[in-house]
Structures are given as C-alpha cells and as structure tokens.
Amino acid sequence: MNVIEVKNMSKNFKNKKLFNKFSLEIEENTVHALVGPNGSGKTSLLRILTGLYNQDGGEVNVKGSHAMLLENDYLYEDKTGLENIKLYGLYFGYGLDNYQKYADLLELTNDLDRNVSTYSKGMKRKLSLLIIVMMNREIIFLDEVTSGVDPISRVEIRKLIKLLKDEGKTIVLTSHDLSEIEKVADKVSMIKSGVLLFTKSIDEIQGESLEDLFIEEGSK
C-alpha cells in the first residue's frame, strides 16, 4: 500500500520551474531515501509533501499523520534537554511516558539535565529527532538527519530509524551520505533538477555502489 502518491506534480519557484509532471510513490512501513545533487529539489519536495509549500498542479496525496525534522535544529539553547522535550510536548500535545526508551537508544539520557547550549552538533540533532519521534506520527520526514553528525551518533540514529520501522512507521529521508543510505534504506529515489531519474530497492542495486549510480545517472 502506498502512503504517499505524487502524480504529475508541478511547482515553480520565482518563475523557475522545479517540478514538471513529477510522479513518485512511497510504500507504507518502508524507509525511503531521496538522493540527488544540491538544488535537485529534495528539500522542496519534502516541504510540498508536508504542506509547507503548495504545488502548482497535479496531485499530492499523503495518507497519514506526519512530522518533519528540518535540516537545522530549532531548540531552546538556554533550557536543558529534558525541558526542551517538555516544552515541545506542551506545544505538540504528546506525553512523556516513553521518551526514556528513545533517549536510551540515542545515548542522550545522561545529558538531558544539561543546557542544550553545551551540546555538540550531534547531540542537538539527536534531541531534535527525539522530539519529532515523541509526536508519534505515522510518517516521519527527515531532512539531512545525519548532516554534521559524528560516526557514533550516525549508528545510534540508524538504530532509531530501524526501531521506528519496526513500530510500523514510514520514514522518508534525504541525505548526502550515500553509504549511510545503503545501510538504512529499503528504497532509493534519485532526483536531478526536479526530475525523478529512478526508484530502486536496495536489493535491486545488487552490490552496485549507490555512489556509482549517483555519478552515472547524475552525469547524463
């Protein structure tokens, strides 16, 4: 079953056509990665799927509740990690019953009583991800979730993504880290200049490097 269906979608930005008759399907309970060079339209597509942008034409159907982690972190630096979780909980209406499970998995538990201003880039990223997960939405959009994150944090984030899939979530992510995508994604769609070049399952790639595909398709 597809939880996201985009059919013949078009979108212009400042009189420049980014998407023209763009179509994409994303299956329920999968980890689906969007890859492509800078300016290819990945982040804009996420913003259209979440309703932050309206398309100019075509159909966009997202069947389920959703939350999105933006590329930048928006946290209260003068508050502790736990205070951030509580504040966003008041805003988004989630309880604190199960935050401990996710905090433990992300190795954040021992740092939640510290001010966020003392956190590393990776810790801030993991706290932002934890807050998004606490919203308990059916579809989770992650924009460059491992950008600027250390290798250990990437492993922890990968474990959380696997857990979310096991819990029945659908995860749609963008990333420039192709090796990370190969470890976590079920399907990969490559976009260039607003055009879908391919959608392949990781099994379909069959040992062919995603980086090689990226270079091969991107040079056409």
Side-chain angles (χ1 to χ4, degrees), residues 5-12 17-25 45 48 55-60 191-197:
E5 293 180 342
V6 180
K7 297 179 181 179
N8 297 319
M9 186 264 289
S10 61
K11 178 64 179 178
N12 298 331
K17 188 177 292 294
L18 178 56
F19 295 106
N20 183 28
K21 295 184 178 180
F22 179 90
S23 297
L24 176 70
E25 295 179 346
L45 178 59
I48 291 169
Q55 78 270 21
D56 296 322
E59 299 179 27
V60 176
I191 301 171
K192 181 183 178 184
S193 301
V195 175
L196 179 66
L197 298 184

Side-chain angles (χ1 to χ4, degrees), residues 44-57:
S44 295
L45 178 59
L46 290 191
R47 290 172 182 261
I48 291 169
L49 295 177
T50 55
L52 291 174
Y53 294 160
N54 293 320
Q55 78 270 21
D56 296 322

Side-chain angles (χ1 to χ4, degrees), residues 66-70 72-77 79-96 98-100 102-103 106 108 112 116 119 123-137 139-142 145 160 164 169:
H66 56 266
M68 179 174 173
L69 177 64
L70 300 171
N72 296 318
D73 299 302
Y74 297 94
L75 299 166
Y76 295 97
E77 297 269 340
K79 305 291 185 184
T80 67
L82 185 56
E83 286 172 335
N84 270 268
I85 294 171
K86 290 178 178 178
L87 282 168
Y88 279 104
L90 292 173
Y91 184 79
F92 290 114
Y94 62 73
L96 300 178
N98 61 349
Y99 84 87
Q100 192 79 52
Y102 300 117
L106 291 170
L108 272 178
L112 290 179
V116 170
Y119 281 19
M123 292 171 65
K124 290 177 182 178
R125 203 75 186 127
K126 290 190 291 184
L127 179 60
S128 296
L129 179 56
L130 173 57
I131 289 167
I132 292 295
V133 170
M134 289 295 295
M135 294 167 64
N136 194 29
R137 304 295 168 83
I139 305 168
I140 300 174
F141 296 99
L142 304 175
V145 65
L160 179 57
L164 293 172
K169 311 292 187 187

